[in-house]
Amino acid sequence: MSFTGKYELQSQENFEPFMKAMGLPEDQIQKGKDIKSISEIVQDGKKFKITVTTGTKVLKNEFTIGEESEMEMLNGEKVKAVVQMEGNNKLVTQIKGMKSVTELNGDTITHTMTLGDITFKRVSKRI
């Protein structure tokens, strides 16, 4: 199953508490909470290029499954991480105590990030 495509955010849960836990300033949290972000994913075998555009903010990450890559987090911090694939539709990684799971089901991507006891869930549909 290929992740390649463009996806528009449909819904999200626990945005504000999660962003506070990540250390984002309150004004950025308020600006970002109602913006429908667009995620563009390009998959070439085990190589991935993910671009998330939220208003004027663009977050780009490139990685190869099973290899250490530098990733930019939501707060702009750059960290090293290894992304693994479970089955043929799930990307899983651990970054600085946060677990990130991206699961593709048909035309829907569910991205769940867990930090401590806060789980932030985003659901996006292919456009």
Side-chain angles (χ1 to χ4, degrees), residues 29-67:
I29 293 171
Q30 292 309 315
K31 268 194 262 178
K33 70 177 183 174
D34 296 320
I35 297 173
K36 292 282 190 215
S37 66
I38 303 285
S39 301
E40 186 170 1
I41 302 174
V42 178
Q43 179 183 358
D44 180 11
K46 290 185 166 196
K47 289 186 193 291
F48 282 79
K49 190 185 289 186
I50 299 178
T51 306
V52 181
T53 306
T54 309
T56 58
K57 185 165 171 40
V58 179
L59 185 72
K60 290 185 181 190
N61 281 311
E62 291 184 40
F63 58 89
T64 301
I65 298 297
E67 292 180 15

Side-chain angles (χ1 to χ4, degrees), residues 28-29 31 35 44 61 67 70 75 90 94 109 117:
Q28 279 187 18
I29 293 171
K31 268 194 262 178
I35 297 173
D44 180 11
N61 281 311
E67 292 180 15
E70 186 175 78
N75 60 5
K90 196 184 283 190
Q94 291 272 356
I109 279 190
D117 58 356

Side-chain angles (χ1 to χ4, degrees), residues 9 37 48 50 62 113 119 121 123:
L9 181 67
S37 66
F48 282 79
I50 299 178
E62 291 184 40
M113 290 175 275
T119 298
K121 183 176 171 185
V123 177

Side-chain angles (χ1 to χ4, degrees), residues 74-125:
L74 298 168
N75 60 5
E77 185 180 351
K78 292 192 186 316
V79 294
K80 300 268 187 215
V82 178
V83 179
Q84 301 293 349
M85 187 172 269
E86 291 182 6
N88 65 352
N89 71 328
K90 196 184 283 190
L91 302 172
V92 180
T93 190
Q94 291 272 356
I95 304 175
K96 291 192 75 174
M98 176 184 76
K99 182 174 185 181
S100 170
V101 178
T102 304
E103 188 169 4
L104 177 64
N105 286 309
D107 285 335
T108 303
I109 279 190
T110 305
H111 186 194
T112 309
M113 290 175 275
T114 306
L115 185 63
D117 58 356
I118 302 169
T119 298
F120 172 41
K121 183 176 171 185
R122 296 167 49 94
V123 177
S124 300
K125 277 244 186 271

